[in-house]
Amino acid sequence: MEDKFLMESLNSLLKDDLFKILAKFDIKLAKSTVKGKIIEKIIEVYLNNSKTFLEVFSKDTIALLSQYNENNNKVSEKDFYEYEEFLIPLQSFGFISKNIIKEKDNNHYTISTWFLKNLHEISNIEDNKKVIDFNQELEMLILGMIRFYGVIDENKLLELLIPTFKNITLEKIHSFIDNRWILNVFVSKIQDSGSNLVYLVADSVSEPVDILHETIKYDNLDYKILTNDEYKNYWNYFFIEKTQEIADLIALLMGHKLQGAQIGFEITTIIDKLKNNVPVNEIINDFKTRIIFDNLDSEQIFTNIVTRIANTLPLWCLKGHSFIEIFGEAQEPRSVTKIGRNDICPCGSGKKYKKCCGK
């Protein structure tokens, strides 16, 4: 593709937007610089600074963005709709307008395809693969750690990352979060007005200040430490640790005719609410607005399972520890009996659990 298409796209942006693009390359020009010179500089640095682009895009994002039609070198309408969220980085660099127009003859449409193709080619260069892998590892650990703890102070995050990334600093962490598009979208920051300490907040935390106040109550409690592979599991928003309690909940939901996507939604919702310190009875009442229990026994079993999950789940307010890990199972008033293998299955079939949903 000729540079004139890229120039036309950049020419449609305001000068402030153009300066923001240059800022991603740590390049400053005088405010008095004419627009044409700014655009020429952007094209120059874009062509000569592939590493900066690789620092912004994750491996998964590159894979998704690289899906284009080889025959006519254009992204299909289906791909635009299916991967629209992955086009955010293109918007952040100014290569697609904020209101994406999906007409095939539209310049933004053509420019984006050209950009994706170039990005795909850049990512396949052997030296660049090392950069991609490094950035992907750092991204997964940062997001995984923040999602596991919910709210974590910047110094603790730095402490957790240093064993893997020897030269990491607070400045580098914040720069990476600010520029790495997936972190920029899913991680927010709050600052304590007294200490000026910055706390990093996961996207699923509804009231970060409340969680922070709860963690302060356990000031002497150390953070629960996981392995890197365990942290990276939490990079995936939908990751659910496979425990007996979760297995029992899945069996119960299946017994009430729920299927894959519905079960995933309900379990994710329940876990999010528990981590956000929503009381079990409120979760039960919310669940009952969508699901009708067969009988009172079935509702009680569901309540027992959710209570057990609440007791064993890593909690944000306890710095990744579960309630039972801190207070002990014997002292826990909410503990309940698990579904036994020989108990009647909660789905209402009349069969023993081990012969039905517990298979």
Side-chain angles (χ1 to χ4, degrees), residues 51-58 131-143 146 157 161 165 168-185 187 189 200 235:
K51 182 178 177 181
T52 300
F53 282 85
L54 296 177
E55 289 174 349
V56 172
F57 293 89
S58 69
V131 177
I132 293 172
D133 289 340
F134 175 88
N135 290 325
Q136 181 76 356
E137 177 83 0
L138 182 56
E139 174 191 296
M140 293 183 77
L141 280 176
I142 287 178
L143 187 55
I146 295 173
L157 182 64
L161 290 170
F165 303 95
I168 198 74
T169 63
L170 279 181
E171 183 179 1
K172 289 180 180 178
I173 290 173
H174 284 291
S175 176
F176 191 75
I177 291 174
D178 292 341
N179 290 295
R180 189 79 167 179
W181 84 270
I182 197 169
L183 297 177
N184 189 257
V185 170
V187 174
K189 302 176 184 180
L200 301 162
W235 174 84

Side-chain angles (χ1 to χ4, degrees), residues 38 121 159 164 184 252 277 305 312:
I38 302 173
E121 291 174 351
E159 178 187 323
T164 305
N184 189 257
L252 183 61
N277 292 344
I305 293 174
T312 57

